[in-house]
Amino acid sequence: MPFAVALALMVMLAVVQVLGAGDLIAGSDADVDLGLEADIDGDGLEAIGADGFLDGLLSLIGFGRVPFLIWLAMFLFVFSGVGVSIQALAQTMLGNPLHMGLAAVVAGLLALPLNGGLVRPVAAILPRDQTTALPLDHLVGRDATIQIGTARLGSPARAKVIDMFGQPHFVMVEPHEASAELQEGENVLLVRRDGETFFAKRYESPLLGPE
């Protein structure tokens, strides 16, 4: 019965994903990760005196290498397969299957490391999200172009700046000098940031401007 239930749950997870309802529970991945990080960073690990032990255990079972729902579906599949195999072996050798609870415990203990071994190759082929997001402070020191409006002190204008990855960012810019005005279309140098506002200086010579 435990293994039939596990297999049924795995099928239900697959159906949920196919129907698109998995997005409603996708947040569980983040919740598990955040909860896990909190446990790792908390006093619990200091109490057992071995932060590496928990890391090694999680690595052994493959937890965190793939999204949680994928890990859970794979575990349920391995658990049911191992459990049915154990009961078939017990039936052959002993003449009777093991007690349901005992079989479930043994299958669970065996399924965890087996599932960890299966998760690794799956994790290697799964696409990973990539991002070029970077802190706003990293835009300081880069060139920008005033796009909309004239930048005056206390009256910022919209400017476009390209980050180190070639991605455009649109920021609000004021002149670094109180008396300066930065005109639309002018290329400037971002020299500092205060909150969401950047302060820029114009190039005194066109030869010093961006190429």
Side-chain angles (χ1 to χ4, degrees):
M1 181 61 69
F3 314 119
V5 171
L7 198 59
L9 288 175
M10 186 202 71
V11 173
M12 288 175 58
L13 286 176
V15 172
V16 165
Q17 291 296 313
V18 170
L19 294 179
D23 293 339
L24 299 177
I25 53 177
S28 61
D29 295 352
D31 293 340
V32 170
D33 291 341
L34 291 175
L36 185 59
E37 290 177 359
D39 291 341
I40 291 176
D41 293 336
D43 296 334
L45 283 179
E46 295 181 1
I48 62 175
D51 55 348
F53 172 76
L54 181 57
D55 290 340
L57 178 61
L58 295 176
S59 177
L60 176 65
I61 65 176
F63 194 87
R65 293 180 178 270
V66 296
F68 175 69
L69 290 181
I70 294 180
W71 182 90
L72 180 59
M74 293 181 63
F75 172 76
L76 292 173
F77 178 76
V78 174
F79 173 74
S80 60
V82 170
V84 170
S85 300
I86 289 175
Q87 293 294 55
L89 182 62
Q91 180 72 36
T92 300
M93 298 183 63
L94 304 177
N96 290 294
L98 299 178
H99 183 273
M100 181 175 62
L102 177 60
V105 171
V106 174
L109 293 175
L110 293 177
L112 284 172
L114 287 176
N115 189 53
L118 292 177
V119 161
R120 288 178 176 83
V122 173
I125 63 176
L126 280 180
R128 295 183 178 272
D129 294 333
Q130 297 183 347
T131 178
T132 57
L134 76 168
L136 289 177
D137 285 337
H138 287 204
L139 298 178
V140 174
R142 303 197 69 84
D143 300 315
T145 302
I146 305 298
Q147 287 203 321
I148 300 176
T150 298
R152 302 181 180 88
L153 191 64
S155 178
R158 187 170 184 255
K160 178 181 178 181
V161 56
I162 305 298
D163 66 21
M164 65 185 70
F165 302 105
Q167 302 298 318
H169 300 263
F170 298 92
V171 299
M172 301 306 294
V173 172
E174 292 184 21
H176 180 64
E177 296 87 359
S179 59
E181 291 186 356
L182 307 177
Q183 304 295 327
E184 187 172 324
E186 193 171 0
N187 292 316
V188 298
L189 176 67
L190 303 180
V191 295
R192 65 185 178 91
R193 181 175 76 93
D194 184 3
E196 298 298 319
T197 302
F198 287 81
F199 292 83
K201 298 179 65 174
R202 65 162 48 93
Y203 289 97
E204 298 300 333
S205 168
L207 298 178
L208 299 177
E211 297 180 357

